[in-house]
Amino acid sequence: DAGVTQSPTHLIKTRGQQVTLRCSPISGHKSVSWYQQVLGQGPQFIFQYYEKEERGRGNFPDRFSARQFPNYSSELNVNALLLGDSALYLCASSPGFFNTEAFFGQGTRLTVV
Amino acid sequence: GQQLNQSPQSMFIQEGEDVSMNCTSSSIFNTWLWYKQEPGEGPVLLIALYKAGELTSNGRLTAQFGITRKDSFLNISASIPSDVGIYFCAGQLNSGGSNYKLTFGKGTLLTVNP
């Protein structure tokens, strides 16, 4: 079975631009969460979506938004990119709402220049 | 954002040695998870713990959920070179509302010298 897949794997953007990151969860998993991992730190929670609804949001500005589609795939959007948005963005899927045993994708490395 | 206190920050050991790392929190969790991350990859789930006092093994890995629900430890026995990576603990409260997120530690970088 395929694991969590994310695209693209690497991305370079300029300050002020907008970016969209994509995630396909493990088949049968209905919950998708997004995390930001800055170099040298553990992942930080951004969003959780379950059954196409936002169920939680971390301490991130409104420039960050996300959505989940009927097939449970998800997109993370970041507007007005700042240099500090440079990070590894991880998507995690889990079978149910409570997000236990979350399985992570390989991440999208975003560099803002 | 909140991060758990994970120690040590890094370890450099000889192949065959045992390793121990731990994670503490100021607040309680209902679930503790341990992940391993290698360069260029996402975290891979190693062990999940669901009950205070629970001791769970996965091959050479053993983890325990602290009685106070505020801590957990991970042991690796007889380390091998492929154990190299960053080990993260993560806690989850599971009490509804907005508490289903995973809160991570800063990680323990493990280097194994062959």
Side-chain angles (χ1 to χ4, degrees):
Chain A
D1 285 343
V4 179
T5 56
Q6 292 186 242
S7 62
T9 55
H10 295 83
L11 203 52
I12 299 175
K13 289 286 190 178
T14 304
R15 276 179 298 176
Q17 284 188 316
Q18 175 264 342
V19 68
T20 297
L21 311 180
R22 296 176 176 83
C23 172
S24 293
I26 293 171
S27 177
H29 285 195
K30 298 180 179 181
S31 175
V32 170
S33 297
W34 288 94
Y35 289 80
Q36 181 195 64
Q37 186 177 25
V38 174
L39 199 62
Q41 302 291 320
Q44 292 282 331
F45 174 75
I46 309 176
F47 285 111
Q48 186 196 10
Y49 276 77
Y50 178 72
E51 290 284 15
K52 301 178 289 294
E53 291 187 8
E54 181 183 307
R55 298 303 183 107
R57 182 187 186 109
N59 188 24
F60 281 82
D62 291 344
R63 299 184 295 107
F64 289 76
S65 63
R67 55 180 175 169
Q68 187 177 33
F69 298 99
N71 66 353
Y72 302 110
S73 67
S74 178
E75 287 182 351
L76 175 70
N77 296 286
V78 187
N79 294 323
L81 285 167
L82 304 174
L83 295 179
D85 294 331
S86 296
L88 181 67
Y89 288 85
L90 295 163
C91 172
S93 82
S94 54
F97 172 73
F98 289 110
N99 215 18
T100 53
E101 298 194 23
F103 295 88
F104 285 83
Q106 84 283 4
T108 294
R109 171 69 64 188
L110 172 65
T111 302
V112 182
V113 297
Chain B
Q2 179 193 5
Q3 288 200 320
L4 306 178
N5 299 312
Q6 192 170 345
S7 64
Q9 285 186 320
S10 62
M11 302 182 74
F12 188 92
I13 62 170
Q14 296 295 123
E15 183 177 359
E17 290 184 354
D18 296 344
V19 172
S20 183
M21 58 190 77
N22 66 75
C23 199
T24 60
S25 170
S26 58
S27 52
I28 62 172
F29 290 110
N30 293 339
T31 301
W32 281 94
L33 305 169
W34 284 93
Y35 287 87
K36 177 186 177 186
Q37 187 174 28
E38 298 185 31
E41 301 292 329
V44 174
L45 181 65
L46 299 173
I47 290 180
L49 302 157
Y50 299 105
K51 194 166 62 174
E54 178 182 356
L55 186 70
T56 297
S57 294
N58 178 9
R60 294 179 296 105
L61 277 60
T62 301
Q64 184 159 29
F65 192 144
I67 290 292
T68 65
R69 295 167 63 194
K70 292 183 178 182
D71 63 319
S72 177
F73 73 75
L74 175 71
N75 288 340
I76 305 173
S77 62
S79 59
I80 58 178
S82 62
D83 290 333
V84 166
I86 303 176
Y87 291 79
F88 289 99
C89 61
Q92 187 185 42
L93 188 53
N94 290 357
S95 68
S98 61
N99 289 326
Y100 35 70
K101 66 176 182 179
L102 296 180
T103 301
F104 282 83
K106 291 187 177 183
T108 294
L109 173 62
L110 177 64
T111 304
V112 180
N113 190 31

